[in-house]
Amino acid sequence: MPSCNSSLPQPLIFILAGIPGLESSHGFFSVPFFLIFVITVMGNVTILCIIRMEKSLHEPMFLLLAMLSGVDLCLVSVTVPRMLGIFWMDAKEISFDACLTQMFFIPSFYVMESGILLAMAFDRFVAIWCPLRYTTILDNSMLVKMALTVLARAVAVLTPAPILAKRLESFQTHIIGYSYCAYMAVVMIACGDISDHIIYGLMVIVASVGFDLLFIILSYGLILHAVFQIPSWEARGKALSTCGSHLCVIGLFYSPVVFSVLAQILGYHMAPHLQIIIDNLYFLVPPMVNPLIYGARTKQMREWVLRIFHCQRD
């Protein structure tokens, strides 16, 4: 990394490195990234269409799933096209303002997804603890309030990121060692005291993903407590089965973050290119797999998908 002894002024254009050290393999990496993008778009659009057309799915759990699919589509739309531009056309230049825009929207959609997963945990909690009042508690007005809260939290938490980055005046280099403009990646190439920026980055993680994961764990603790009060084993299994899809999605979404945090605490340092690949997968794999999980585990959705394929064959 260049020294700050010969610092550079705030640039008009940054250079996105893609996957540093593996530039010769960008063409190879473009194939799975493109497939992930196509599968994600097809899967989430299918979920949204099925929920819209199937009136029996107009209930809180599936309306929250529709929100999740919408956020997933936004997340891959602001990440993958830029990555493919780097991999296919070597389009590595990004203006400073465009970098600030990416810096806000990419983590915002990620924080929104985390918030929706917390809302879905609350949905399962109400369904098991208060089944007779389920639709009364989680009516449309409550769902709108939950959606607005998720949106407001993301905007409040991530708005400082581009503002703080805009105040950085000098840099060690104009090359960002990522395939997108990550806030901490930009901060780490800046000169001067960046301790406030690091503290802010940690606060974002704690106030969003950390907060959500804590309350999801609490929700499922209460859910398990309620389930094991049910005398019938068959009824227990039926109650837990309604949480299966959500638990799979939670595990997929949070496990990379937990692994990364634990690795840093334990002092394990991954190779930079491996860290960047894993960071990219944070944003790409859950949006691709979420519709597959819910599609496979939801009877109405399986029937709709089979009906669509049957019509296409005919």
Side-chain angles (χ1 to χ4, degrees):
M1 186 70 69
S3 170
C4 277
N5 292 332
S6 55
S7 61
L8 303 171
Q10 187 183 94
L12 294 176
I13 292 175
F14 278 119
I15 304 297
L16 295 172
I19 305 178
L22 296 176
E23 288 85 356
S24 61
S25 301
H26 277 176
F28 170 79
F29 282 107
S30 70
V31 176
F33 277 80
F34 176 72
L35 291 176
I36 287 173
F37 181 70
V38 171
I39 294 170
T40 300
V41 171
M42 291 178 61
N44 285 288
V45 167
T46 300
I47 291 288
L48 289 170
C49 290
I50 291 174
I51 291 174
R52 182 177 181 275
M53 292 184 291
E54 181 58 60
K55 292 185 178 180
S56 66
L57 298 180
H58 292 180
E59 57 183 63
M61 181 177 73
F62 293 104
L63 293 176
L64 288 170
L65 175 59
M67 294 182 201
L68 185 67
S69 291
V71 170
D72 283 342
L73 283 172
C74 293
L75 184 57
V76 297
S77 297
V78 297
T79 52
V80 180
R82 166 62 67 176
M83 294 177 186
L84 293 178
I86 295 171
F87 296 155
W88 284 343
M89 297 176 287
D90 203 34
K92 296 182 178 182
E93 292 187 354
I94 182 170
S95 69
F96 189 73
D97 289 337
C99 183
L100 296 178
T101 302
Q102 266 200 340
M103 194 182 294
F104 172 77
F105 280 105
I106 293 177
S108 291
F109 290 128
Y110 188 79
V111 169
M112 286 182 206
E113 182 161 353
S114 180
I116 293 171
L117 291 179
L118 175 58
M120 295 172 86
F122 178 69
D123 165 83
R124 293 299 84 205
F125 168 77
V126 173
I128 291 175
W129 271 76
C130 313
L132 299 180
R133 299 175 55 208
Y134 174 63
T135 54
T136 304
I137 295 173
L138 289 173
D139 58 8
N140 288 340
S141 64
M142 175 58 76
L143 291 176
V144 170
K145 290 176 183 176
M146 291 167 71
L148 291 176
T149 300
V150 168
L151 176 62
R153 197 267 301 263
V155 172
V157 170
L158 273 308
T159 295
I163 296 174
L164 290 172
K166 185 77 172 177
R167 293 169 56 188
L168 297 170
E169 296 180 352
S170 58
F171 293 83
Q172 304 168 40
T173 176
H174 292 167
I175 300 174
I176 300 174
Y178 267 73
S179 50
Y180 60 91
C181 273
Y183 173 73
M184 289 308 300
V186 173
V187 167
M188 295 308 291
I189 63 172
C191 295
D193 184 11
I194 60 171
S195 57
D196 291 344
H197 297 270
I198 294 174
I199 292 171
Y200 165 71
L202 292 174
M203 288 178 60
V204 169
I205 296 173
V206 172
S208 55
V209 176
F211 174 89
D212 295 342
L213 185 55
L214 174 64
F215 278 90
I216 287 172
I217 292 171
L218 177 61
S219 296
Y220 272 98
L222 295 172
I223 287 170
L224 289 174
H225 175 73
V227 167
F228 284 104
Q229 300 299 312
I230 301 172
S232 167
W233 280 98
E234 182 180 354
R236 290 180 186 179
K238 185 175 180 181
L240 287 175
S241 68
T242 64
C243 303
S245 299
H246 186 236
L247 284 171
C248 291
V249 170
I250 287 172
L252 182 69
F253 183 83
Y254 289 107
S255 55
V257 180
V258 173
F259 170 78
S260 179
V261 171
L262 288 176
Q264 292 181 22
I265 292 174
L266 297 174
Y268 175 74
H269 298 286
M270 287 181 283
H273 63 272
L274 182 60
Q275 180 66 58
I276 291 167
I277 292 171
I278 292 175
D279 287 349
N280 286 335
L281 295 180
Y282 285 176
F283 300 115
L284 303 182
V285 173
M288 177 185 69
V289 178
N290 290 348
L292 301 179
I293 291 173
Y294 277 98
R297 294 183 60 88
T298 306
K299 180 182 177 182
Q300 298 98 316
M301 290 188 179
R302 288 201 306 269
E303 290 175 350
W304 266 94
V305 172
L306 292 173
R307 194 183 310 173
I308 291 170
F309 281 116
H310 180 71
C311 291
Q312 287 179 344
R313 284 199 300 270
D314 291 346

